[in-house]
Amino acid sequence: AARMFLRLLSDIQWRAAHPKWRRMTSSQRSTSTTAEPHPVSLPAQAQVVICGGGIMGTSVAYHLSKMGWKDIVLLEQGRLAAGTTRFCAGIVSTARPVSIELKMAHYSNKLYQQLEQETGVQTGYMKTGSISLAQTQDRLISLKRIASSLNVMGIPCEIISPKKVLQLHPLINIHDLVGAMYVPEDALVSSANVSLALATAASRNGVQIHERTCVSHVTIQKGRVTGVETDRGRIQCEYFVNCAGQWAYELGHSGEQPVHIPLHACEHFYLLTHPLKEPLSSSLPTIVDPDGRIYIRNWQGGILSGGFEKNPKPLFTEGRNQLEIQNLQEDWDHFGPLLGALLRRMPGLEALQIMQLVNCPESFTPDMRCIMGESPTARGYFVLAGMNSAGISYGGGAGKYLAEWIVNGYPSENVWPLDLKRFGTLQSSRTFLRHRVMEVMPLMCDLKVPRWDFQTGRQLRTSPLYDRLDAQGARWMEKHGFERVKYFVPPGSDLLDLDHSKTFYKPDWFDIVGSEVKCCKEAVCVIDMSSFTKFEISSTGDQALESLQYLFSNDLDVPVGHVVHTGMLNEKGGYENDCSIARLSKRSFFMISPTDQQVHCWTWLKNRLPDDSNLVLEDVTWKYTALNLIGPRAVDVLSELSYAPMTAEHFPSLFCKEMSVGYANGIRVMSITHTGEPGFVLYIPIEYALHVYNEVMNMGQKYGIRNAGYYALRSLRIEKFFAFWGQDLDAFTTPMECGREFQVKLDKGMEFLGQEALWEQKQNGVYKRFTMFILEDHDTDMDLWPWWGEPIFRNGRYVGKTTSSAYSYTLERHVCLGFVHHFDEKTGEELVVTTDFINQGEYEIDIAGQRFQAKAKLYPFSSLFTQRRRKDEVELSGYQRE
């Protein structure tokens, strides 16, 4: 009854706010069993059609209309805000570990705060604050890390004692707490009313909103959206936005050309109680108890409490649909553990009368991050879905960024962690999604220490060497569905301890990785790097060269057999990709990119290469196994296997040549290692992979060869000051900002994408600078480790964040990489960052609230490079991407 009252109240407020809308939709809201015709027909065409009238769809419509776009139609199959939005708990929380999600939530909070005044629709906004509880020291450390990020963004936040928790919320049992995080500006809202308020504002700005209209499929011609088919007719459009929530997957697959949107629904439970004898104050802070797996907020004098159980119940795997979400069946046995946690946290509730147990579907994604962006297969098809139970927190910010993306071609922040193109078709298997979301939902509360890995959906993409490496003690992680080795456990080690090593401190694999690094520097190691994305671009004439010269910043018109490291830049000069390209012949090129670039890079190239049948782009990732031979003895191993001289005189740095290795022909050998150490990468046709690996290992025995993994490679590249794309480099970072001017040929004789922006930076300076930090007063054995995302302070003032870090076994210090900004002390305006500004500062790195002194460097230690080469070759040959 209470829920129906809220729904009725929302409808009344909506009608009162917009009389014109009331007249248009009165027949649709009729309770008569006789279907009445729609009073207003659909337009024949529109610039943008949005499917979904929940918080996401209305937010996109609101922000598009705010940016001046008026020709917009929003379609909802039922009633506005009648899907997952209707059942949302209404908690607006900014305490997010991922930077872009934190920014989205912060913007949402500010938007909702002023929305009622803007629209006249009551949103129920109440700034209550939130308290995240910690039952363990590790949980408290994770909260301290989040608190550091919130504070430097100007969001009030503090770590508080259990006694302070009791002062803020007298009903909370604090006996098992070690601390908590208090965010005083977090809020509560009525999610449905926020959605209606956004729709009201959008409608006033010209957006047409049609309820009771089902989208059957989107029409796509020549790779571009052309229209939308509905049960009320067709609408021609340039852009389509899929905000269909849990139905986004089915809608994406409804057309002849599927758009893969990997999400899956699970049942989500929360209970509502009658008011307490002394009704709870509406200003009491929301409680989040991740170790108890529950959240608690006040609700009309009683409480609303739900959580994320360890054994979630996925649903609609078969694609079952329903017009509007009805409350699913109660399941008190399933909710029992969460109810027990609630009663332990608030013992005074035992006599409280429960009104209802609500069970509604929530959509989850394979990596616990929401999905936004343009489809890689259909231009103009945008997606915003899969909120992982945080839709109201992200709704405002997510709608803003997607609207910017549609209008400007790019959002105002780096949203790569949320981009639809981070997934491929392999993550769209219903079986994979069902199994993965059963793991994801409990992880919403599980403690996530650095370097944790998903356990479901594994062994999906593997190298031909997987079984061989696994038998030798390989420990695996997954990247874009591809299994990659972290490190190799030596015989006799305690495997159980290593597999379950979860800590913010020195990890158990420290000595293992150290021995692999030592071997890379003194002998020779083999790392299977088959997961890297590999493309071939060829043409009958000069089309391939001319196209690549425009799309890449370096000069690719080099002699056959040479390898060029280059950026694939956007119009602003930012990195869309960081790659190496070998010229195989005058008309063909071999391109190596990061693992998670497979979909993004392919889409970027296909959308910008000329439509020419004589120009061919082929994804050959699956055709080649890549073995990286690192170390001073790599040259000896390869020389003996190929019966060819491999010294620098015969095989110079940044060179590519097809050779025989053992019995196998056609091995592409490149004199790069992605670490700055000497060595070679062998690109081997997969049918030869096992043979070549066996030959390399057998021949290398006398040179001390051993297997190594990506943790060793990470340590080597970071101590050399090399950047990863996707972690250090992104679409908002230019070569000028990260010391890679040598990868740019501004005078190569022809225009290239991003050239104008780079000229401007060269003349006017940059506003951030990629910098290396060596921690000086940090105890590796006793202190918390830096991982990434730690705030950087210069002379006591915040100037940026770390982007990656690792322990340098050579320097015997932790090394952090990150960007330094220069903010005006009075106005906060960004100023040009000069070399003097970097060198003249005193720096500290904040690790979970504790600051450590650090020395800043703009160039790597020359002593770390083991071979005397030209400076540019050293820098080039050592680039690294993940």
Side-chain angles (χ1 to χ4, degrees):
R3 194 177 72 253
M4 291 302 294
F5 170 75
L6 285 177
R7 177 68 237 181
L8 181 61
L9 180 63
S10 297
D11 288 347
I12 292 171
Q13 292 167 340
W14 168 251
R15 293 167 183 165
H18 211 316
K20 178 183 175 183
W21 177 253
R22 181 184 68 239
R23 293 194 299 271
M24 290 167 56
T25 62
S26 59
S27 64
Q28 298 175 38
R29 297 187 185 277
S30 171
T31 57
S32 169
T33 57
T34 304
E36 297 185 28
H38 292 272
V40 178
S41 59
L42 295 181
Q45 63 183 37
Q47 187 176 13
V48 183
V49 173
I50 302 169
C51 177
I55 185 67
M56 294 302 151
T58 54
S59 179
V60 172
Y62 171 87
H63 286 95
L64 283 174
S65 67
K66 283 284 187 179
M67 296 181 73
W69 284 27
K70 307 298 183 184
D71 190 12
I72 302 165
V73 175
L74 187 151
L75 305 177
E76 164 56 44
Q77 65 174 346
R79 295 179 298 168
L80 288 176
T84 300
T85 299
R86 171 188 173 193
F87 289 97
C88 180
I91 301 170
V92 183
S93 170
T94 54
R96 307 289 169 178
V98 179
S99 177
I100 185 62
E101 293 178 341
L102 192 159
K103 291 176 181 178
M104 291 195 305
H106 184 45
Y107 173 84
S108 297
N109 197 338
K110 293 190 295 184
L111 173 66
Y112 302 158
Q113 190 171 359
Q114 55 85 34
L115 200 56
E116 186 171 324
Q117 181 179 356
E118 178 185 347
T119 65
V121 178
Q122 293 184 6
T123 60
Y125 184 91
M126 174 68 71
K127 188 177 292 185
T128 62
S130 71
I131 304 174
S132 298
L133 309 179
Q135 297 182 28
T136 67
Q137 287 297 331
D138 274 349
R139 177 71 67 182
L140 189 60
I141 290 168
S142 71
L143 294 178
K144 287 178 178 179
R145 290 178 64 88
I146 294 173
S148 293
S149 295
L150 291 172
N151 283 324
V152 297
M153 280 192 63
I155 301 173
C157 176
E158 61 178 314
I159 299 298
I160 60 176
S161 67
K163 287 185 178 180
K164 184 64 180 289
V165 173
L166 194 60
Q167 293 174 12
L168 292 168
H169 202 306
L171 296 179
I172 295 298
N173 175 14
I174 64 169
H175 80 279
D176 58 347
L177 301 182
V178 297
M181 177 177 68
Y182 178 46
V183 185
E185 293 190 355
D186 279 355
L188 296 177
V189 295
S190 166
S191 303
N193 287 13
V194 167
S195 187
L196 294 173
L198 292 168
T200 298
S203 183
R204 289 173 181 169
N205 287 333
V207 175
Q208 298 184 54
I209 301 176
H210 295 266
E211 295 181 306
R212 307 291 186 189
T213 305
C214 292
V215 174
S216 58
H217 66 273
V218 180
T219 56
I220 299 169
Q221 295 180 4
K222 296 182 179 180
R224 176 174 282 279
V225 167
T226 58
V228 176
E229 295 288 349
T230 79
D231 59 352
R232 295 175 56 200
R234 173 180 170 81
I235 305 176
Q236 288 184 321
C237 63
E238 298 176 50
Y239 300 94
F240 175 75
V241 187
N242 185 338
C243 296
Q246 64 164 322
W247 298 293
Y249 178 98
E250 280 78 19
L251 180 57
H253 281 78
S254 62
E256 292 183 5
Q257 185 172 342
V259 173
H260 300 286
I261 305 168
L263 55 80
H264 197 292
C266 281
E267 297 182 27
H268 179 59
F269 297 88
Y270 63 80
L271 61 79
L272 301 171
T273 77
H274 289 284
L276 279 70
K277 289 182 179 179
E278 290 187 19
L280 288 179
S281 167
S282 60
S283 61
L284 269 182
T286 296
I287 298 296
V288 180
D289 184 2
D291 296 310
R293 318 190 74 80
I294 57 171
Y295 56 84
I296 310 165
R297 56 155 289 190
N298 68 75
W299 186 76
Q300 297 186 359
I303 68 161
L304 181 158
S305 180
F308 301 94
E309 62 274 22
K310 291 184 178 180
N311 56 332
K313 299 170 66 176
L315 73 165
F316 303 152
T317 302
E318 299 81 10
R320 170 187 164 193
N321 208 333
Q322 54 190 75
L323 188 61
E324 290 179 13
I325 298 175
Q326 303 298 325
N327 192 17
L328 303 171
Q329 291 296 314
E330 292 184 347
D331 189 341
W332 284 103
D333 289 338
H334 193 76
F335 190 72
L338 299 181
L339 179 58
L342 170 62
L343 295 177
R344 285 190 295 273
R345 187 56 57 210
M346 296 181 70
L349 297 181
E350 288 192 3
L352 191 63
Q353 186 178 358
I354 293 173
M355 178 184 295
Q356 183 182 9
L357 179 63
V358 177
N359 178 6
C360 62
E362 285 272 10
S363 297
F364 296 87
T365 63
D367 60 1
M368 295 188 294
R369 300 197 298 267
C370 72
I371 296 172
M372 70 162 59
E374 189 174 18
S375 162
T377 57
R379 300 201 74 174
Y381 191 121
F382 285 81
V383 177
L384 185 58
M387 293 297 127
N388 300 280
S389 200
I392 194 62
S393 291
Y394 297 154
K400 172 181 181 286
Y401 291 142
L402 193 74
E404 292 172 345
W405 204 331
I406 294 170
V407 173
N408 301 326
Y410 46 83
S412 57
E413 295 283 350
N414 173 36
V415 297
W416 170 248
L418 314 177
D419 195 327
L420 172 62
K421 291 184 285 293
R422 72 187 187 271
F423 296 118
T425 57
L426 56 94
Q427 285 98 353
S428 287
S429 154
R430 292 304 272 176
T431 303
F432 168 84
L433 288 171
R434 181 180 176 87
H435 291 173
R436 175 57 66 86
V437 298
M438 291 176 71
E439 179 183 11
V440 161
M441 192 169 170
L443 279 171
M444 302 298 293
C445 290
D446 286 352
L447 186 68
K448 290 175 282 294
V449 300
R451 310 282 185 256
W452 60 272
D453 301 292
F454 289 107
Q455 301 303 307
T456 54
R458 298 295 297 270
Q459 299 183 35
L460 187 58
R461 302 175 71 195
T462 61
S463 159
L465 305 177
Y466 178 87
D467 288 339
R468 183 72 194 277
L469 300 179
D470 194 59
Q472 296 179 75
R475 287 296 171 266
W476 302 92
M477 59 182 178
E478 172 256 335
K479 185 82 167 182
H480 200 62
F482 216 114
E483 297 293 328
R484 312 201 305 183
V485 180
K486 296 186 285 189
Y487 50 81
F488 286 82
V489 178
S493 297
D494 190 334
L495 307 187
L496 188 63
D497 282 351
L498 283 167
D499 285 343
H500 294 86
S501 173
K502 294 184 177 182
T503 180
F504 290 101
Y505 292 89
K506 179 180 177 181
D508 291 343
W509 44 256
F510 178 83
D511 291 332
I512 293 175
V513 173
S515 63
E516 292 179 3
V517 168
K518 184 175 178 3
C519 188
C520 287
K521 290 181 172 291
E522 297 179 358
V524 56
C525 278
V526 178
I527 301 180
D528 184 345
M529 299 179 66
S530 303
S531 68
F532 273 24
T533 298
K534 299 172 276 289
F535 294 160
E536 288 182 1
I537 305 101
S538 59
S539 60
T540 55
D542 294 333
Q543 300 96 327
L545 176 61
E546 292 172 358
S547 299
L548 295 181
Q549 285 283 66
Y550 172 71
L551 292 174
F552 293 88
S553 61
N554 212 337
D555 189 358
L556 297 176
D557 192 5
V558 294
V560 172
H562 284 242
V563 181
V564 176
H565 291 303
T566 181
M568 184 174 80
L569 309 181
N570 54 36
E571 289 81 357
K572 291 190 171 184
Y575 279 98
E576 294 294 336
N577 187 10
D578 179 42
C579 56
S580 57
I581 299 179
R583 191 168 193 178
L584 303 179
S585 70
K586 287 189 176 182
R587 297 172 179 174
S588 65
F589 298 82
F590 185 51
M591 176 178 172
I592 311 299
S593 302
T595 301
D596 50 6
Q597 274 277 2
Q598 190 165 14
V599 177
H600 174 70
C601 181
W602 176 270
T603 305
W604 183 269
L605 291 174
K606 289 293 286 186
N607 289 342
R608 287 161 180 80
L609 288 172
D611 187 10
D612 187 342
S613 60
N614 294 315
L615 178 64
V616 178
L617 171 66
E618 183 183 4
D619 186 345
V620 295
T621 300
W622 62 275
K623 288 186 177 182
Y624 294 95
T625 296
L627 291 183
N628 194 352
L629 272 64
I630 304 174
R633 307 314 297 267
V635 62
D636 301 306
V637 174
L638 208 51
S639 292
E640 293 197 38
L641 281 175
S642 61
Y643 289 96
M646 301 298 295
T647 57
E649 293 78 21
H650 299 90
F651 208 110
S653 179
L654 298 175
F655 195 68
C656 174
K657 183 179 180 181
E658 284 203 356
M659 301 176 59
S660 298
V661 178
Y663 296 154
N665 289 318
I667 311 300
R668 290 177 183 171
V669 179
M670 295 188 190
S671 49
I672 55 176
T673 64
H674 314 299
T675 63
E677 303 296 330
F680 306 88
V681 179
L682 282 57
Y683 291 96
I684 310 160
I686 57 171
E687 63 266 32
Y688 300 147
L690 193 57
H691 167 76
V692 172
Y693 173 77
N694 290 336
E695 290 290 298
V696 166
M697 295 303 289
N698 290 334
M699 183 62 70
Q701 291 302 315
K702 59 185 176 183
Y703 299 111
I705 199 168
R706 65 174 292 171
N707 293 299
Y710 274 80
Y711 283 10
L713 186 142
R714 178 181 283 127
S715 174
L716 290 167
R717 74 93 182 173
I718 287 178
E719 71 178 16
K720 303 292 198 315
F721 200 11
F722 302 148
F724 280 8
W725 184 90
Q727 191 163 344
D728 306 306
L729 309 179
D730 56 42
F732 290 82
T733 302
T734 74
M736 305 301 184
E737 294 165 345
C738 60
R740 292 187 169 201
E741 296 90 339
F742 60 86
Q743 286 191 359
V744 177
K745 295 296 184 288
L746 290 169
D747 55 352
K748 66 179 178 178
M750 67 173 294
E751 180 186 356
F752 64 85
L753 205 57
Q755 186 178 33
E756 186 176 339
L758 298 186
W759 269 118
E760 185 177 338
Q761 283 194 333
K762 185 173 183 178
Q763 293 168 357
N764 301 330
V766 296
Y767 290 89
K768 62 180 180 181
R769 190 77 182 267
F770 196 49
T771 309
M772 169 191 274
F773 298 94
I774 295 88
L775 298 190
E776 296 189 318
D777 60 343
H778 183 270
D779 188 322
T780 302
D781 294 318
M782 302 301 295
D783 290 327
L784 289 169
W785 275 31
W787 296 100
W788 58 83
E790 291 85 11
I792 303 167
F793 290 87
R794 179 187 181 274
N795 298 343
R797 295 179 60 84
Y798 171 71
V799 292
K801 283 188 175 183
T802 64
T803 52
S804 57
S805 64
Y807 181 80
S808 168
Y809 294 88
T810 310
L811 301 173
E812 297 184 341
R813 291 284 188 276
H814 257 99
V815 177
C816 300
L817 309 182
F819 285 92
V820 171
H821 302 251
H822 184 185
F823 302 108
D824 185 276
E825 292 189 13
K826 294 182 179 179
T827 66
E829 178 188 0
E830 282 202 83
L831 305 175
V832 170
V833 178
T834 63
T835 300
D836 286 344
F837 179 80
I838 298 290
N839 291 335
Q840 293 173 6
E842 297 289 331
Y843 292 90
E844 294 173 303
I845 306 294
D846 181 319
I847 306 176
Q850 183 178 357
R851 296 188 187 182
F852 296 90
Q853 293 180 359
K855 182 178 181 180
K857 287 180 63 66
L858 285 171
Y859 303 99
F861 291 93
S862 58
S863 60
L864 293 178
F865 295 95
T866 57
Q867 287 191 341
R868 294 178 62 85
R869 301 178 183 173
R870 296 197 312 271
K871 179 178 180 292
D872 61 336
E873 287 187 345
V874 169
E875 290 177 336
L876 285 166
S877 66
Y879 92 111
Q880 167 62 19
R881 314 153 311 261
E882 194 170 54

